[in-house]
Amino acid sequence: MVTMKLGSKPDIFVLEGLTWRCMTELESDVVVEVGDMSFYLHKFPLLSRSGVLQRLISEYQPPSDGGGGMCTLQLDDIPGGAKAFELAARFCYDVKIELNALNVVCLRCAAEYLGMTDDYAEGNLIAQAESFLADVLANWKDSVRALETCEGVLPAAEDLHIVPRCITALASKACASDAAAWSTHGAKNASVDGDALWNGIGSGDTPRGAAAAASAMDWWYEDVSLLSLPMFKRLIQAMEAKSMRAESIAGAIMFYAGRLLPGLNRSASFSNVSFADYGGGAGSRSATPRSATASLSGTSDGDQRYFLEEIIALLPTKKGVTSTKFLLGLLRTAMLLHASPLCRENLERRIGAQLEDASLEDLLVPNLGYTVDTLYDIDCVQRILDYFMSSMDGLGTGYTSPALAEEGSQLGLPHAATPPAVAPIAMVAKLMDGYLAEVAPDTNLKLPKFQALAAVVPDYARTVDDGIYRAMDIYLKSHPWLSESEREQLCRLMNCQKLSLEACTHAAQNERLPLRVVVQVLFFEQLRLRTSIAGWFFVSDNAATATDGAHLHHPGNAGAIVPKGSAVVDSGAAGQDEDVVMVTPEGKGSETMSNVKARVSELEKECMSMKQEIRRLGKPRRSWSILTRKCGFGAKVQQAQTAMSGK
């Protein structure tokens, strides 16, 4: 902390209870009362420095009853109170004082109030305080402390433009540091590993470079979190005006809210909330409050509700810069505090826009409504899911349905138009399958609500329906009173053709499923087995076919087994087997007939191996049928097989 020493004389002030006395040879002739404190001083030192005191002393009229001739002045409205006036009085007596970031603002405002300009003495208190304030604003820590002290003298500090100057200094330093850190560390680490950093802050086991970037970007979060909400809000707005990255602004707001709003983190107490719980990791700082003013735990629900709504309004609107975990924490707090419907709708829309980043644990929002029907708030999650699906309008989603992709390939579109392996809608489908499995045991969850939530995600979003089958099975187990028609209606949510082998085996033995569904499962599994075997090979009567329509006949190749889609063309020497080449379907290479023969031999061996495997699998199937009969499942499987044979 920078300091500045003024004055040269030793201390002559003595505190006696609520009275300050100036211990000199001369008797005091003026009393200045500031609140409960009384200062017994002398007129001359005060007249030589302060224009206001000079005017008040000259205008003073003693009481008409003659009760004492000492001049008494009332200065109850001086900025900074008795502490600030004490420093000003010491300055008038040229007693040694020390200016620092914690008292310079109050002293500057008090000097302005007392009129201590250079018109009365060269190098007066206003000039000294202004000179030192410039040094304070050049330092980050001191600027934060000075801005904090502005709260006590807010009207005067605003009139003297001290608050805007502090905010501008802080915003400039933070923006410059953030830009430098991002250009040095953040951009490089983001290009190397996009998952290593979230909002410029480590989100787990981050590399050393990512941790350095995080530490370089979030160093100022804890300092500004000590500010009051109005000051913090003005500082964030100033940073936005200076084009600070939305990721850094969101990180600062999350840190600020995380230490002041209780309940955002379910696994930690309010006093131990840290930014690491909301996406922070390496480089993040502990959020242990330094002062009692940095907590809202003792405030009313109305004050916390106002604080929550202000924080939500401050968050950047850019998608993905605010953690979905943090947004869901705000939503739970908003429900607990009964925030306005507009506030909750805003949060639900933000969460829905980035639902693919949510985790199942955070999505389990307790039902905090006035009428509690279910353990978890199903309606809230359905609204969030509806917002997500409305954002998946096909523009910039990175996902195309399989039907559209197949149509595009037939039209000759490039391979880049095909859907990626992992898309947001596929991630949300997996998330919702897990959510349905978690809420399914709730006996108060009605079938229409379960169906409505499961039907929001389209069928093409699920590559495998094992998740939705598991959720349905749990629901059927927890709701044994459902009728046969209701069970069949529920099972329509599942596509039997998209079940894995394990799921099909389980479904074939599942007594909770309707018989019609079991028949469908067995039928599609048998059909898929036949199709997969037939898709590997095909038997050709000719050796090969030429790519340009010409055919090459060779007696030794009749009835050979050739990989599907392959083509063999004549290389110009029909009498030599070694010169015949095979062109791959992509047209990128060719193989001689000797290589083709070797591959055919390998395929024949694989075919024999598959046949042996099929025969081997046939034996457990018989023993399995005996086991199922012993366990009570044989009747249903037998009925299913009979129904299949009758088709």
Side-chain angles (χ1 to χ4, degrees):
M1 182 186 299
V2 296
T3 59
M4 179 179 182
K5 297 185 183 298
L6 299 178
S8 57
K9 297 180 180 179
D11 192 4
I12 55 176
F13 285 82
V14 176
L15 178 62
E16 299 176 354
L18 296 178
T19 302
W20 281 98
R21 296 188 181 276
C22 184
M23 306 303 292
T24 61
E25 297 178 355
L26 300 177
E27 186 178 353
S28 299
D29 54 3
V30 60
V31 179
V32 179
E33 296 181 350
V34 182
D36 295 334
M37 300 295 297
S38 298
F39 295 84
Y40 286 79
L41 307 172
H42 303 85
K43 292 182 180 179
F44 178 75
L46 301 180
L47 295 176
S48 62
R49 295 285 187 175
S50 172
V52 172
L53 292 178
Q54 186 182 93
R55 176 178 56 82
L56 292 177
I57 292 174
S58 62
E59 295 176 355
Y60 176 75
Q61 296 292 334
S64 57
D65 56 1
M70 185 174 291
C71 177
T72 304
L73 306 177
Q74 292 285 342
L75 297 179
D76 293 333
D77 55 347
I78 183 173
K83 184 63 178 177
F85 181 78
E86 176 200 344
L87 293 175
R90 290 173 181 270
F91 178 82
C92 293
Y93 281 85
D94 197 26
V95 173
K96 294 179 181 179
I97 60 174
E98 182 180 273
L99 298 185
N100 53 50
L102 297 176
N103 61 21
V104 64
V105 175
C106 297
L107 191 57
R108 171 65 181 88
C109 295
E112 186 73 22
Y113 175 87
L114 295 173
M116 302 177 71
T117 64
D118 287 352
D119 295 337
Y120 300 93
E122 186 177 355
N124 211 344
L125 186 56
I126 290 180
Q128 297 287 355
E130 276 292 338
S131 175
F132 180 69
L133 186 59
D135 296 335
V136 168
L137 297 181
N139 181 275
W140 168 268
K141 291 281 188 181
D142 291 335
S143 298
V144 174
R145 295 187 181 99
L147 184 58
E148 286 184 83
T149 59
C150 289
E151 293 285 346
V153 290
L154 196 54
E158 289 283 8
D159 294 339
L160 296 176
H161 302 287
I162 298 177
V163 175
R165 288 159 61 188
C166 292
I167 290 176
T168 301
L170 291 172
S172 300
K173 291 178 177 62
C175 291
S177 175
D178 184 77
W182 179 251
S183 61
T184 304
H185 302 284
K188 180 173 68 174
N189 284 294
S191 62
V192 173
D193 185 3
D195 296 332
L197 291 180
W198 175 83
N199 291 349
I201 300 164
S203 57
D205 296 332
T206 56
R208 183 176 302 178
S215 179
M217 293 178 188
D218 71 345
W219 58 269
W220 52 276
Y221 290 179
E222 183 177 2
D223 294 331
V224 301
S225 67
L226 300 173
L227 300 174
S228 65
L229 178 60
M231 292 296 183
F232 179 80
K233 184 177 179 180
R234 291 175 62 176
L235 178 59
I236 292 297
Q237 292 171 345
M239 291 177 176
E240 289 178 341
K242 292 183 177 295
S243 303
M244 175 173 275
R245 294 184 309 112
E247 291 82 358
S248 297
I249 290 178
I253 296 174
M254 290 162 58
F255 190 98
Y256 187 74
R259 68 182 302 169
L260 295 181
L261 271 179
L264 284 180
N265 181 25
R266 291 193 268 190
S267 61
S269 62
F270 169 67
S271 60
N272 295 326
V273 171
S274 66
F275 184 70
D277 298 321
Y278 304 105
S284 299
R285 289 169 169 77
S286 171
T288 304
R290 283 197 329 214
S291 63
T293 59
S295 172
L296 287 180
S297 58
T299 58
S300 64
D301 288 350
D303 293 336
Q304 293 189 43
R305 189 183 307 116
Y306 170 77
F307 179 84
L308 174 71
E309 294 175 354
E310 288 292 320
I311 286 295
I312 295 172
L314 269 182
L315 288 171
T317 57
K318 183 179 178 181
K319 176 183 175 181
V321 299
T322 305
S323 167
T324 309
K325 178 183 180 70
F326 175 76
L327 292 175
L328 285 166
L330 287 179
L331 181 60
R332 287 194 301 269
T333 306
M335 292 178 175
L336 184 64
L337 296 175
H338 302 294
S340 64
L342 184 61
C343 173
R344 284 179 285 181
E345 181 185 357
N346 184 13
L347 284 173
E348 290 173 357
R349 287 185 180 275
R350 287 173 179 259
I351 296 169
Q354 54 191 57
L355 184 58
E356 66 273 13
D357 298 328
S359 65
L360 177 59
E361 180 185 1
D362 297 320
L363 203 60
L364 296 172
V365 180
N367 199 337
L368 300 174
Y370 292 105
T371 58
V372 178
D373 295 331
T374 57
L375 178 62
Y376 298 108
D377 198 332
I378 311 295
D379 295 331
C380 172
V381 175
Q382 182 158 8
R383 289 192 299 269
I384 292 174
L385 186 58
D386 289 335
Y387 291 139
F388 171 79
M389 293 305 302
S390 65
S391 65
M392 297 287 102
D393 54 0
L395 299 177
T397 61
Y399 188 84
T400 309
S401 65
L404 295 178
E406 182 179 356
E407 181 181 354
S409 62
Q410 293 175 356
L411 295 176
L413 295 179
H415 181 69
T418 58
V422 179
I425 195 168
M427 298 170 64
V428 170
K430 182 178 179 181
L431 176 66
M432 295 313 301
D433 290 346
Y435 181 81
L436 289 170
E438 288 291 332
V439 301
D442 191 347
T443 56
N444 293 327
L445 179 58
K446 305 301 181 183
L447 179 60
K449 183 171 292 188
F450 184 88
Q451 288 178 295
L453 184 60
V456 175
V457 179
D459 179 66
Y460 65 80
R462 297 184 177 94
T463 56
V464 180
D465 272 18
D466 288 11
I468 188 66
Y469 167 69
R470 175 174 174 266
M472 288 168 41
D473 186 50
I474 296 175
Y475 187 84
L476 290 173
K477 184 177 181 180
S478 304
H479 300 75
W481 55 83
L482 293 179
S483 64
E484 188 73 11
S485 61
E486 290 176 330
R487 293 170 183 268
E488 291 185 358
Q489 185 180 4
L490 176 64
C491 291
R492 292 174 186 172
L493 298 171
M494 175 184 63
N495 188 346
C496 297
Q497 303 182 59
K498 296 166 67 175
L499 293 178
S500 66
L501 179 61
E502 293 79 7
C504 288
T505 304
H506 186 278
Q509 307 174 59
N510 194 344
E511 289 187 333
R512 291 183 288 272
L513 295 179
L515 179 60
R516 182 189 299 272
V517 177
V518 176
V519 171
Q520 291 178 355
V521 170
L522 293 174
F523 172 75
F524 286 119
E525 180 60 20
Q526 186 178 15
L527 182 62
R528 180 167 54 182
L529 180 61
R530 293 178 178 178
T531 304
S532 61
I533 294 176
W536 280 95
F537 310 102
F538 76 95
V539 179
S540 175
D541 293 334
N542 300 318
T545 56
T547 55
D548 56 354
H551 298 275
L552 176 65
H553 300 281
H554 193 276
N557 292 330
I561 300 177
V562 185
K564 186 177 181 179
S566 301
V568 178
V569 296
D570 187 5
S571 63
Q576 299 180 4
D577 292 347
E578 299 298 332
D579 294 332
V580 179
V581 296
M582 173 181 174
V583 182
T584 60
E586 294 82 0
K588 298 181 180 179
S590 60
E591 295 179 332
T592 62
M593 183 56 69
S594 60
N595 294 336
V596 174
K597 289 181 178 180
R599 293 184 59 187
V600 169
S601 177
E602 293 177 1
L603 292 175
E604 289 177 348
K605 294 179 181 179
E606 292 181 6
C607 184
M608 292 299 297
S609 176
M610 290 184 62
K611 289 180 179 179
Q612 294 175 1
E613 186 68 19
I614 292 174
R615 293 193 192 99
R616 188 181 65 82
L617 291 175
K619 296 179 180 179
R621 195 176 285 256
R622 289 194 296 272
S623 61
W624 169 79
S625 62
I626 297 174
L627 179 62
T628 54
R629 285 197 298 270
K630 290 182 179 180
C631 296
F633 301 117
K636 177 168 286 194
V637 176
Q638 183 65 30
Q639 294 174 4
Q641 292 176 349
T642 304
M644 288 179 58
S645 61
K647 283 193 173 184

